[in-house]
Amino acid sequence: MHGSSDVGHLVDRHPSVTPERLIAQLVPPPTFADVSFDTYRPDPGEPSQAAAVQTCRQFTEQAVARRAGKKKMFGKREVLPGVGVYLDGGFGVGKTHLLASSYYAVGESSDYKRAFATFGELTQLAGVFGFMECIDLLSDYVLLCIDEFELDDPGNTTLISRLLSALVERGVSVAATSNTLPEQLGEGRFAAQDFLREINTLASMFTTVRIEGPDYRHRDLPPAPEPPGDDEVARWASEVDGATLDDFDALCAHLATMHPSRYLTLIEGISEVFITGVHPIDDQNVALRLVSLTDRLYDAGIPVIASGAKLDTIFSEEMLAGGFRKKYLRATSRLLALTAAGQAGRTIT
């Protein structure tokens, strides 16, 4: 790409998000724009993966049938309550791929509306529109997909559980994946019970699908690469159109000035992100904001190049031992994948 010495900075961007934009964002991320059940490659050594594809296929057929309803006398139709599927498993086993495939399997037409949101986007939606308005907004949808249902915030979990109960009654089917609670992190298998307990009013409608297997991002992933120097990062940034260059601490401070729902707009139109002075973080709030930004960058497929500490050392051992372990490990995995993409073809001098 042609370069420009006048490199932009994420810290100079101050995005706002309209309600209309929030609705328009309720689609699978760009990384999963072209997926389907047919493009999911089950690991032959993990039969649960092929079984999960079948269950999700059946679920989407049921979702459409329930929205269509059953015929009553005089030809009117009565909408049936929605159904639910919960995909339980570690990260990198393809849960989001299957979730997005379910979204696409329910074909979009005037009769078949569907939405795909992270748990955070859904709580943001309820905050912007209000609880009842949010129900009205989504009540004629066939399917609501929720990626990374968060069980670590009781208030939000209760809110979304109530929202889902109301939507299911109105014929909306729900597919979800989730993160696990702190106590079960070593095991992971108990995520399903936690999820069902938290949404106990809905538990009976959810079919739980356990997907086993190693993180596919780690199947061939080398250890974190040696970071380039600050000057090298700045030089590379100046050679790429649409790139941004930011100091790590300044960027972290900037992220604190806005709700994570704006991070998608923050990185809109950016080709590559360059960061200098990366170092380990010990503040949980800073770390969680960085996780949110990483998810947005990963979803958009935007490469990252960073100087300073290696990217697999950002989250301290103490933090990895805490309640958000799964989020931090997922973010590290994604950062390494984005860095591998960024450093491909570049030589550190």
Side-chain angles (χ1 to χ4, degrees):
M1 286 195 184
H2 295 298
S4 143
S5 55
D6 188 20
V7 184
H9 309 284
L10 288 173
V11 295
D12 294 336
R13 290 173 156 231
H14 302 277
S16 60
V17 183
T18 62
E20 294 75 22
R21 175 66 191 263
L22 281 174
I23 297 292
Q25 283 177 198
L26 299 181
V27 295
T31 326
F32 296 97
D34 302 313
V35 301
S36 67
F37 292 131
D38 292 335
T39 63
Y40 182 85
R41 295 277 169 266
D43 184 332
E46 302 287 355
S48 63
Q49 295 188 3
V53 176
Q54 285 311 111
T55 306
C56 288
R57 281 186 193 272
Q58 289 159 1
F59 161 77
T60 55
E61 289 164 11
Q62 265 187 303
V64 170
R66 293 198 155 244
R67 171 50 73 191
K70 63 181 181 190
K71 276 212 169 105
K72 291 172 72 178
M73 285 174 58
F74 311 116
K76 285 187 177 172
R77 284 185 174 272
E78 177 189 12
V79 172
L80 296 165
V83 285
V85 67
Y86 166 71
L87 305 176
D88 179 36
F91 40 80
V93 295
K95 297 194 303 292
T96 304
H97 184 132
L98 289 177
L99 196 65
S101 299
S102 299
Y103 171 94
Y104 289 120
V106 175
E108 180 76 298
S109 75
S110 56
D111 300 327
Y112 291 146
K113 293 205 282 192
R114 65 259 155 103
F116 186 108
T118 62
F119 184 84
E121 286 169 337
L122 203 56
T123 51
Q124 166 77 352
L125 203 65
V128 169
F129 286 100
F131 185 73
M132 295 312 296
E133 290 81 358
C134 206
I135 293 171
D136 290 340
L137 191 74
L138 298 170
S139 62
D140 61 342
Y141 279 52
V142 178
L143 175 64
L144 173 60
C145 298
I146 308 170
D147 203 15
E148 292 291 326
F149 198 104
E150 295 180 7
L151 300 171
D152 38 38
D153 183 322
N156 281 341
T157 306
T158 305
L159 170 78
I160 298 304
S161 183
R162 283 177 52 219
L163 177 68
L164 295 184
S165 292
L167 291 175
V168 167
E169 275 174 31
R170 289 161 174 77
V172 182
S173 291
V174 180
T177 71
S178 95
N179 60 24
T180 41
L181 276 174
E183 311 84 72
Q184 281 81 34
L185 283 165
E187 181 50 56
R189 288 170 197 282
F190 298 112
Q193 285 97 297
D194 291 323
F195 176 76
L196 295 174
R197 186 180 66 239
E198 292 296 334
I199 58 157
N200 51 20
T201 50
L202 289 169
S204 59
M205 65 161 249
F206 271 88
T207 302
T208 301
V209 181
R210 175 73 192 174
I211 308 172
E212 306 281 357
D215 183 343
Y216 76 91
R217 287 187 294 270
H218 283 170
R219 283 177 201 165
D220 304 302
L221 203 61
E226 281 299 326
D230 289 359
D231 292 345
E232 201 146 32
V233 168
R235 180 170 59 81
W236 285 345
S238 72
E239 293 168 354
V240 178
D241 281 338
T244 56
L245 173 65
D246 290 271
D247 168 73
F248 184 65
D249 284 334
L251 177 58
C252 289
H254 187 55
L255 293 178
T257 67
M258 68 188 81
H259 189 277
S261 63
R262 296 185 186 180
Y263 293 177
L264 187 60
T265 318
L266 178 71
I267 61 168
E268 200 167 45
I270 286 172
S271 60
E272 216 164 330
V273 167
F274 293 84
I275 304 169
T276 56
V278 169
H279 60 80
I281 297 172
D282 50 20
D283 182 321
Q284 191 101 271
N285 293 318
V286 175
L288 289 171
R289 286 191 286 267
L290 194 63
V291 168
S292 292
L293 179 67
T294 299
D295 287 341
R296 298 283 81 84
L297 289 168
Y298 183 79
D299 288 344
I302 298 173
V304 173
I305 296 272
S307 64
K310 286 188 176 183
L311 292 175
D312 57 3
T313 64
I314 292 181
F315 307 112
S316 69
E317 287 300 318
E318 187 182 0
M319 293 174 86
L320 289 175
F324 297 108
R325 172 184 172 82
K326 194 168 180 185
K327 283 186 175 179
Y328 296 145
L329 289 176
R330 186 188 74 225
T332 301
S333 166
R334 290 181 159 188
L335 275 173
L336 291 182
L338 292 174
T339 310
Q343 291 202 7
R346 288 190 170 110
T347 310
I348 296 177
T349 52

